[in-house]
Amino acid sequence: MVGDTDDDIAVRRRGTSGHRACGHTADVRIEAWGADRESCLLEAVRGLVECFADVSGARSAGVTRVRLPDEGDEELLAALLDEVVYRLEVRGEVPLDVAARAVDGELEVRFTMAALDGVEITGAAPKAVAWHELRIRPDAYGWSCAVTVDV
């Protein structure tokens, strides 16, 4: 849904997941939603990746698992997106797919990764997650979040 305008966004329904991104001069604003917190977080990752890469033709280079402490919803959203930025900058990896579940006070995340040189780059790479106006919370349809990412 990247590039959609408010006029052509489909009506959100309970139990659905999705995301969209709105570009600014030096950053990107990602909005995501899902039936539960975990699906909302995963959509935020997908939205982040779509802002700079087309992974549709990429091949998996392996699976990576990480555990993030659940120290609050906003902290978890920032930590998850920071993990994607870290893997991109330091390891040259991009998530093809992501799955997550809450386990013992942590978020267990499973990334299927591709090598950066194996994906089509379509935009500026993310550099940092901004805390300004970062939000994630339950709403009438499930969960929603919004975050600004510096590019």
Side-chain angles (χ1 to χ4, degrees):
M1 295 180 65
V2 173
D4 291 344
T5 65
D6 289 335
D7 294 335
D8 57 10
I9 296 291
V11 175
R12 187 170 165 214
R13 293 186 176 85
R14 185 179 305 276
T16 63
S17 295
H19 59 268
R20 69 179 181 152
C22 308
H24 296 118
T25 305
D27 54 38
V28 174
R29 183 81 174 158
I30 299 166
E31 298 174 357
W33 56 92
D36 54 32
R37 184 183 72 162
E38 286 73 21
S39 61
C40 181
L41 290 166
L42 299 179
E43 286 298 326
V45 170
R46 292 178 184 117
L48 176 61
V49 171
E50 282 183 12
C51 288
F52 72 93
D54 177 358
V55 297
S56 61
R59 294 177 25 166
S60 172
V63 173
T64 300
R65 297 179 195 282
V66 297
R67 289 189 130 192
L68 302 172
D70 190 348
E71 298 172 337
D73 299 330
E74 283 88 9
E75 290 81 0
L76 194 54
L77 174 59
L80 180 59
L81 297 181
D82 280 340
E83 184 71 24
V84 173
V85 171
Y86 166 79
R87 292 187 175 279
L88 174 65
E89 289 182 346
V90 175
R91 298 192 174 187
E93 301 174 333
V94 179
L96 294 176
D97 193 23
V98 60
R101 65 186 181 125
V103 177
D104 299 327
E106 295 181 314
L107 185 69
E108 183 180 82
V109 183
R110 180 184 173 273
F111 291 108
T112 302
M113 303 301 282
L116 181 59
D117 62 4
V119 302
E120 180 183 349
I121 303 303
T122 59
K127 299 295 179 197
V129 176
W131 279 89
H132 179 69
E133 295 183 355
L134 182 145
R135 69 163 175 76
I136 180 169
R137 62 180 166 248
D139 62 21
Y141 302 101
W143 281 73
S144 65
C145 68
V147 61
T148 301
V149 179
D150 298 329
V151 294

